[in-house]
Amino acid sequence: MDRVYNFSAGPSMLPLPVLEKAQSELVCYGSSGMSVMEMSHRSTMYEEIIAKAEADLRKLMNIPENYKVLFLQGGASMQFAQVPLNLLSAYKTGKADYINSGNFANLAIKEAKRYADVKEVASSKDVTYTQIPDWDEKEFREDADYFYICGNNTIYGTRYTKLPETGKVPLVADLSSCILSQEYDVSKFGIIFAGAQKNVGPAGVTIVIIRDDLLGHSLDICPVMLDYQTMAEKGSMYNTPPTYGIYMAGLTFDYLLANGGVPAMYEKNVYKAKLLYDYLDESKLFSNPVRHCDRSLMNVTFVTGDADKDSAFCKAATAAGFVNLKGHRSVGGMRASIYNAMPVEGIEKLIAFMKDFEAKNA
Ligand SMILES: *Cc1c(COP(=O)(O)O)cnc(C)c1O
């Protein structure tokens, strides 16, 4: 069986060399005589694995010294609660400003409302999230405990190309579907978090990058396990971390460093996305609904405008080895998720297939 071009939004494609390396070490890692899955997280060998993963991520993202890197569990969705539980008493105002840019921002808002005085300072709901909301800085509250954005909207296919200026208010960003796809100046953020299963590794690990001064302010009701301080003090090992997932993420970091790092990925991602958007813009059958300046590099949505044609397309694409192109169940249509691991060739072949489908179905 050949590998397919997998356009899944997540869990999604991993670089083949990463999978092959894991395969070669699966049963016996180094001189350990055991699999990483079977290894104590307190062993010297595992400590080296997690330390290298952290060091490599720090190199890839130029993470400053005054930020901690945590490898947690619970997915990005856990962060929707963990962020307010930890940051709301940083300045003790209980206020949090959110930009509503789509489904995952909405879920974060809903969760934060359980603990915080939430203000939605901008929203693109009225245009069904086909753009990043335009914001007016006058709406931002200077005394908010934090300001929250979702950097790339996986379902709607939009991304921020500039960040809101939040002054002293810490900027928190969900970068689940864009981490390591482009360079970010980490020093502009209070917290960056990302589930691993989009651009890093298997599901089960959540990366949290947090500025030191934001540790140690959790609400009294915050469970010990969800207090960033607990995990920061224990090097992500207050309890058993997702050991194998961290090892796999480490393999991806190592692979990225050996292949030009984030700048090289960004260049390739811009090229891949442009190929696809250029085709969509000239196509008479398919179109992309997103405001051009906000188009995601990672998740490219498209529709024919006819639900039957959409499903005929997905079916034919699957048969031809282009899988998981169906859009999110909440929006329909199609979506090609083209994370770092999707080769240029996958995009070129998909476009050739779409052109062929268009010629037969326009
Ligand atoms: C996938 C995704 C999530 C949800 O991640 P889980 O790990 O399933 O909780 C949250 N935010 C964004 C931007 C995502 O792409």
Side-chain angles (χ1 to χ4, degrees):
M1 174 82 201
D2 288 333
R3 279 172 62 77
V4 292
Y5 291 111
N6 180 6
F7 293 92
S8 170
S12 41
M13 272 184 93
L14 292 172
L16 188 56
V18 166
L19 294 174
E20 286 171 338
K21 173 94 169 145
Q23 182 182 42
S24 75
E25 297 178 332
L26 182 78
V27 172
C28 201
Y29 178 83
S31 62
S32 69
M34 63 179 83
S35 172
V36 174
M37 286 183 235
E38 302 168 302
M39 202 176 273
S40 165
H41 58 295
R42 308 283 178 205
S43 63
T44 311
M45 203 167 254
Y46 192 76
E47 274 172 8
E48 281 166 15
I49 291 172
I50 194 170
K52 179 169 159 50
E54 177 179 338
D56 285 352
L57 182 62
R58 283 184 176 277
K59 254 184 256 168
L60 282 167
M61 295 183 70
N62 281 317
I63 301 173
E65 285 287 323
N66 62 324
Y67 284 73
K68 293 281 186 296
V69 173
L70 308 177
F71 297 109
L72 307 181
Q73 306 193 53
S77 303
M78 180 69 91
Q79 296 307 308
F80 300 165
Q82 204 162 346
V83 165
L85 284 168
N86 279 271
L87 296 196
L88 280 174
S89 49
Y91 305 114
K92 307 210 186 317
T93 67
K95 295 179 186 174
D97 287 354
Y98 279 70
I99 293 186
N100 178 4
S101 58
N103 176 66
F104 289 117
N106 255 306
L107 291 172
I109 288 169
K110 219 167 136 189
E111 192 74 22
K113 279 184 175 165
R114 298 164 59 101
Y115 312 105
D117 161 8
V118 171
K119 180 178 179 190
E120 213 175 275
V121 294
S123 171
S124 50
K125 186 165 187 222
D126 58 338
V127 291
T128 55
Y129 302 116
T130 52
Q131 63 179 65
I132 294 296
D134 293 317
W135 61 78
D136 176 355
E137 275 159 24
K138 288 200 288 292
E139 294 294 319
F140 301 2
R141 296 180 294 188
E142 279 172 22
D143 61 346
D145 279 324
Y146 65 92
F147 189 106
Y148 184 102
I149 61 167
C150 178
N152 182 78
N153 297 280
T154 322
I155 293 173
Y156 296 94
T158 61
R159 73 159 174 145
Y160 287 76
T161 48
K162 69 174 171 44
L163 297 173
E165 291 289 340
T166 63
K168 283 201 179 65
V169 178
L171 179 62
V172 175
D174 176 357
L175 301 188
S176 293
S177 51
C178 57
I179 190 167
L180 301 173
S181 71
Q182 63 174 90
E183 286 182 279
Y184 286 98
D185 179 353
V186 175
S187 72
K188 295 253 188 298
F189 298 87
I191 294 180
I192 288 171
F193 69 84
Q197 72 271 27
K198 312 285 164 62
N199 221 2
V200 172
V205 182
T206 310
I207 295 166
V208 173
I209 301 164
I210 178 168
R211 210 174 61 212
D212 282 341
D213 62 290
L214 298 174
L215 295 165
H217 304 288
S218 64
L219 297 177
D220 290 342
I221 57 160
C222 179
V224 173
M225 270 290 290
L226 295 187
D227 190 333
Y228 293 127
Q229 170 96 333
T230 309
M231 287 299 187
E233 277 171 3
K234 304 283 184 184
S236 304
M237 295 215 231
Y238 171 75
N239 68 330
T240 317
T243 51
Y244 197 74
I246 294 168
Y247 155 77
M248 288 290 295
L251 293 185
T252 301
F253 301 153
D254 195 54
Y255 171 81
L256 292 179
L257 282 171
N259 287 275
V262 178
M265 288 304 126
Y266 175 66
E267 197 181 319
K268 189 173 122 189
N269 290 331
V270 167
Y271 180 75
K272 289 186 313 194
K274 184 172 173 359
L275 284 179
L276 200 43
Y277 286 121
D278 282 353
Y279 165 62
L280 290 170
D281 288 344
E282 76 186 30
S283 170
K284 301 233 165 4
L285 179 62
F286 300 107
S287 62
N288 165 267
V290 174
R291 182 164 74 175
H292 288 209
C293 62
D294 298 330
R295 284 172 158 180
S296 170
L297 298 176
M298 297 283 99
N299 311 97
V300 179
T301 60
F302 53 99
V303 291
T304 64
D306 172 339
D308 290 339
K309 262 185 198 167
D310 286 354
S311 67
F313 171 78
C314 289
K315 208 170 149 206
T318 304
F322 305 101
V323 310
N324 289 319
L325 282 164
K326 201 167 177 299
H328 190 265
R329 58 190 183 282
S330 64
V331 293
M334 279 76 73
R335 169 179 52 174
S337 294
I338 53 173
Y339 299 114
N340 286 350
M342 175 60 66
V344 172
E345 180 197 71
I347 311 291
E348 288 168 346
K349 290 192 174 164
L350 173 65
I351 293 170
F353 177 81
M354 289 171 76
K355 282 184 175 163
D356 187 53
F357 185 89
E358 176 171 350
K360 291 176 184 145
N361 293 276

